[in-house]
Structures are given as C-alpha cells and as structure tokens.
Amino acid sequence: MNDTVALHDMTLAELSQGLRDKQFSSVELTNHFLTRIGKMDAQFNSFITVTREQALVQAQAADDRLAAGNAPALCGIPLAHKDIFCTKGVKTSCASKMLDNFLPPYDATVIDNFQNSGAVMLGKTNMDEFAMGSSNENSFYGPVKNPWAEDSVPGGSSGGSAAAVSARLSPAATATDTGGSIRQPAALCGVTGLKPSYGRVSRWGMIAYASSLDQGGPITRTAEDAAIMLNVMASYDDKDSTCINKDVPDYTSTLNDSIEGLKIGIPKEYFGEGLDSATGAAVEAAIKQYEQQGASISEISLPRTELSVPAYYVIAPAEASANLSRFDGVRYGYRCKDPADLQDLYKRSRGEGFGDEVKRRILVGAYALSAGYYDAYYNKAQQVRRLVKQDYDEAFKSVDIILGPTTPSPAFKFGAKTTDPVAMYLEDIYTISANLAGLPGISLPCGLVDGKPVGLQLISNAFTEARLLNVAHQFQQHTDHHLQPPAASVSA
Ligand code: GLN
C-alpha cells in the first residue's frame, strides 16, 4: 500500500488491512474522520447527528479487539448510518420534525450487525423526510449539498450518506432504497450504491416507508467495499418476517470471477426520450468497456417500464399512509402544544410534525386505499407490479445482467423540480422497477457530464448479489471513474 494515500482516500479493504498491519489505530482513524466532519460538514450538511464520544469509545474497544487478533473485516472502521436506522439512545429522526426528539430504545438489526463486527458509528446522515424524495430537499434539517457542485442536489432520499462518502467524510455508509434512494444519490454523487434483493437485509428497526419495497444497503466508493458491507448487513432475522432464511455467501470471494461470456441485456426503453444525451453517451462507453472485457451485449425489452412510476406512486404512498399512522403525537415523537381534545392532538401533531411531501403521500395513499377506489387504484397498481416482474422474468431467461443508466441526467440544481412533483418522480424512472420486482441493483460511477458524475446501473436476478458485485467489480478493475474525488473533498 502506498504510504502517501490519505486515510480518507482509502477504501474499506485498504483500511481493514492498514488496521491489521498497525499502520494506524481505530482511534486515530476515527479522529481523522471526526475532524474532517467538524471542519467540512457545515458546507455539505450531510450529517444530522455526529456521535463523537460514542465513536471514540467504540474505536478504543475495536483497537482492543484488533490487538487480540481475529477481528472481523470491518472492526475499527468508522461508518455513517442513514438516520432511518434506529440507534439505541441516539436520536433517530428520519429527517422529520415528527421524530426530532426520538431516542429509540433499541438498535436496528443492521446496526446490531455492525456493532457485532466492531465497526464504529460516526453519526447519522441526512435524508429526505421519511425517505420520500429524490433530492434531499425534503429534510427538516435542510438540504444536503452535492460535493461535486454546491448548487446542485445530491439526490435522495439517502443524499446525506452519498454526499458523506463522496466528500470522504466517511469511508462508507448505510442507506435505504424504496424506489431508488441508494442508487440515485450514489449516481449523482459519484459513488457506488447497492440495493440488495428484497428480503436480503433485515428491515427490523429501519423506519418503514413502504414495507413491500424498502431495502437497506451500502453506499461505498467501490464494489469491493459494497461486498464487504453486504457481508455484514445481510443476515437472517426472525424479527422481520419478510427477511429470507438463506445463507449469506462471502460476497468478496467471487469478485474476481471471470466475466467472459457474461450476457448483458440493454433495455431499449431505458435509452429513449427523457435520457440526457451526454449521460447516455457515458453509459454507451461503459457498454463498450464490458464488450472489450468479453461480455456479450444484446438489446432487450422491458415493455412495462413506463408503467412502473405510476404503479409505484400508488403502492408506495398507500403503504406509507398505513405506516405513518403510528405517528399520532400520543406514544412518541412530536406533540403539539396545548391540545384542546384528542382530535385536536392528532390533527395538530400530524399537521405540524410532517412536512409537505409527507402529507402529500399520506393523502394520495389514503385516497387510493379508500372504499370505492381500492380496486381502481391499489389493486390495479399491484397488477401492474406483477407485469413489471414478468418483464424481468422474461428478460432473465436470456441475459444475466441488465444494464442502463441510473438516472436520466446528472444532478439538477436546487429548486429545479420542487414545484413539479411529477418531474421529481420521473427522476426514478430507471430505478423503481427493481424495487417493484424485488431485484438487486447497483449504481457505479461511469463518467462526468458538465463536471458532475453520472451512474451506470446493473440489475440482476433475485439473490444473485454475488454475481452482480463481481460484474461491478470487474468494471472498476478496468476503469477509474470511481476513484475520482470531488474537488471539495480535497480542501481539508
Ligand atoms: N424518490 C422515491 C420516492 O420519493 C424513492 C425514495 C426511496 O427510495 N426511498 O419515493
């Protein structure tokens, strides 16, 4: 390893090795990132909470464990967690005024898994309120800035996690993806984001948005690091009835498998109207790269692509309206001042505690589920969802991997889509269908357009994350887009 590489430029794989070789301790490493966050995050706003004291205690414990030998790969490595994962005794706000005072009495399973592996928590990252959004403009704590362009959004809803990893304020972060919230911000911030198959990562203690679509996953700089993170995040959990009881392979062990003869399908619907031409060109170059590495490329069709956004925007709000009914001002969270009676308590606590986009989703969802409309909207959307899944089933009969852009264009400017919710919703046109079908998808940096990163998305069949990560890693072995830092990360 090169001694001149700064700690914040090292990958998880390199940090893990460095800790083992005693080049630095976890306390030093943790202090390094805490200092960077302290100096730089006023600029990005990627953290809602920084857990300095707790991080240093965990780092000391990790150093003891490393000294004893046989410590797990992530032992001693600092990470940031999206503020949607419950952390015992540490504020978990989901970026909502509603939960601004919420101290969970327990840890999410994902957080537990990281603790057991000796990882250190730096803090909790900013996001769109209740994970609803594509730009991070819906946070009670203010927007996150894109480290590549301060006038532009970082994407959402996991914008804080993506910006923190991009700006080198954390080596990696957790995030969640209901319709694209890992992959889209990863694309716009020039980092790697993996949404696992539905059921691969426990949702227990992850605040629910749309339960049949939500899935936790990592945001990292490399696919290899995503594999290291998934090794810890994926587990069977009997506290989440939708979590699959399936062995977790070592996702790092197959990263170097050959991709000779790999069959990649290019959905023609992902390259039509709406795709920015320079973004399309960056993705075309990635296709050529795969071809050079021995993959065979063919055009496929996912005919229901354009139905996935409308189906999603019925199903997700419907589930959200049910999930968010628990925030009533009674048990925990925000309570309005001096309620006149119980009705007033409910109405004003919810009216004052939720932001506009969350209210919009609750209204849409409650409407779609109401008597007389349920069959016309909710049931119909579920039928479309089945057809979307059938498109993928058909495609995976002839290809191993589906490749396309992650987003239609690079990061847009703040305010550009806030007055037009539908334009904002179309941001997720390429990511949503993988959630509807429960499939794993990964976004990898594949170039810059006007100085801003764009992403390449790979989707594979359910529970084939090992192959997906292998195919992603092989791209990164032959390209250097993922190694480019934003200029803003170099300043401190
Ligand atoms: N942008 C989508 C939404 O607003 C997806 C968000 C997500 O994946 N959490 O619902």
Side-chain angles (χ1 to χ4, degrees):
M1 194 169 36
N2 183 345
D3 284 345
T4 61
V5 176
L7 291 176
H8 54 265
D9 281 325
M10 292 167 79
T11 62
L12 293 180
E14 290 164 346
L15 290 172
S16 185
Q17 194 56 47
L19 284 166
R20 245 145 280 265
D21 295 346
K22 304 209 171 12
Q23 291 178 18
F24 42 82
S25 68
S26 173
V27 169
E28 281 163 3
L29 186 61
T30 302
N31 266 317
H32 180 82
F33 281 101
L34 288 170
T35 304
R36 278 179 73 80
I37 294 167
K39 272 196 205 157
M40 298 166 68
D41 201 43
Q43 189 184 343
F44 303 118
N45 198 26
S46 65
F47 281 84
I48 292 175
T49 304
V50 178
T51 47
R52 166 177 283 276
E53 285 78 27
Q54 179 176 325
L56 290 169
V57 170
Q58 288 177 340
Q60 186 55 59
D63 279 333
D64 295 344
R65 203 165 156 187
L66 282 156
N70 265 336
L74 281 174
C75 186
I77 298 188
L79 301 173
H81 297 300
K82 184 175 181 180
D83 209 18
I84 196 169
F85 290 100
C86 285
T87 42
K88 190 174 177 179
V90 174
K91 180 168 106 171
T92 300
S93 71
C94 239
S96 181
K97 179 177 177 183
M98 185 58 93
L99 291 177
D100 183 47
N101 61 3
F102 178 49
L103 301 180
Y106 61 90
D107 281 319
T109 297
V110 161
I111 300 293
D112 248 355
N113 290 356
F114 280 115
Q115 267 183 3
N116 294 338
S117 74
V120 172
M121 177 169 85
L122 292 169
K124 309 290 294 291
T125 56
N126 204 346
M127 53 184 281
D128 283 300
E129 184 179 5
F130 285 105
M132 298 173 187
S134 307
S135 69
N136 232 287
E137 292 168 293
N138 300 333
S139 168
F140 175 59
Y141 302 96
V144 175
K145 293 197 176 129
N146 190 317
W148 289 84
E150 283 209 28
D151 63 352
S152 301
V153 304
S157 63
S158 316
S161 290
V165 175
S166 169
R168 276 69 173 155
L169 303 184
S170 181
T174 56
T176 61
D177 191 312
T178 303
S181 280
I182 291 177
R183 292 160 287 158
Q184 186 257 11
L188 302 194
C189 290
V191 291
T192 298
L194 169 70
K195 179 200 99 71
S197 310
Y198 185 76
R200 182 67 293 186
V201 170
S202 168
R203 291 184 298 110
W204 198 76
M206 196 177 102
I207 296 172
Y209 162 16
S211 310
S212 76
L213 302 158
D214 297 342
Q215 187 62 196
I219 292 185
T220 54
R221 297 221 304 277
T222 66
E224 180 183 26
D225 283 359
I228 294 171
M229 290 284 279
L230 188 61
N231 278 350
V232 174
M233 292 183 83
S235 63
Y236 172 60
D237 182 6
D238 60 14
K239 298 203 281 307
D240 169 4
S241 60
T242 61
C243 194
I244 196 160
N245 191 354
K246 201 173 172 57
D247 283 347
V248 179
D250 174 358
Y251 292 106
T252 63
S253 67
T254 41
L255 291 173
N256 289 314
D257 286 3
S258 164
I259 59 163
E260 189 73 46
L262 176 81
K263 289 189 247 142
I264 298 182
I266 312 294
K268 62 171 191 256
E269 292 79 5
Y270 283 33
F271 290 81
E273 205 192 324
L275 176 64
D276 159 65
S277 61
T279 304
V283 175
E284 298 284 354
I287 296 172
K288 294 243 155 46
Q289 175 62 40
Y290 271 118
E291 216 166 5
Q292 271 168 27
Q293 289 176 228
S296 72
I297 312 288
S298 59
E299 187 180 273
I300 59 163
S301 175
L302 297 172
R304 275 72 167 231
T305 297
E306 66 173 3
L307 298 181
S308 60
V309 171
Y312 172 89
Y313 278 100
V314 172
I315 294 168
E319 294 185 15
S321 74
N323 276 325
L324 270 58
S325 65
R326 72 191 63 170
F327 303 108
D328 56 5
V330 175
R331 285 162 293 185
Y332 53 90
Y334 178 78
R335 178 180 294 179
C336 69
K337 292 243 168 348
D338 305 322
D341 54 25
L342 188 61
Q343 283 300 325
D344 187 44
L345 168 77
Y346 288 150
K347 279 192 196 157
R348 281 205 292 122
S349 297
R350 287 169 68 81
E352 294 165 18
F354 289 135
D356 288 351
E357 184 61 26
V358 173
K359 286 180 192 159
R360 182 180 292 128
R361 308 274 176 118
I362 292 173
L363 287 173
V364 169
Y367 180 83
L369 290 177
S370 57
Y373 296 107
Y374 184 96
D375 283 333
Y377 296 108
Y378 186 72
N379 261 351
K380 187 60 89 188
Q382 291 289 21
Q383 287 164 349
V384 172
R385 180 178 191 170
R386 165 59 58 183
L387 296 175
V388 169
K389 170 79 168 65
Q390 283 172 4
D391 280 358
Y392 280 111
D393 290 345
E394 199 49 44
F396 285 126
K397 285 183 189 158
S398 59
V399 300
D400 308 308
I401 295 279
I402 294 172
L403 184 158
T406 308
T407 64
S409 54
F412 47 92
K413 296 219 164 83
F414 287 106
K417 301 190 185 189
T418 37
T419 52
D420 184 354
V422 175
M424 189 74 92
Y425 297 169
L426 285 170
E427 203 29 42
D428 300 315
I429 176 92
Y430 308 129
T431 48
I432 272 177
S433 53
N435 299 75
L436 290 172
L439 302 175
I442 192 167
S443 178
L444 309 173
C446 70
L448 297 179
V449 171
D450 300 331
K452 299 189 230 184
V454 290
L456 155 76
Q457 179 177 224
L458 307 173
I459 297 171
S460 69
N461 218 339
F463 301 104
T464 61
E465 282 85 352
R467 185 62 164 156
L468 187 65
L469 286 160
N470 158 233
V471 174
H473 178 68
Q474 288 308 308
F475 179 74
Q476 295 187 334
Q477 291 300 97
H478 292 87
T479 56
D480 64 358
H481 307 293
H482 61 293
L483 300 176
Q484 309 306 323
S489 78
V490 184
S491 61

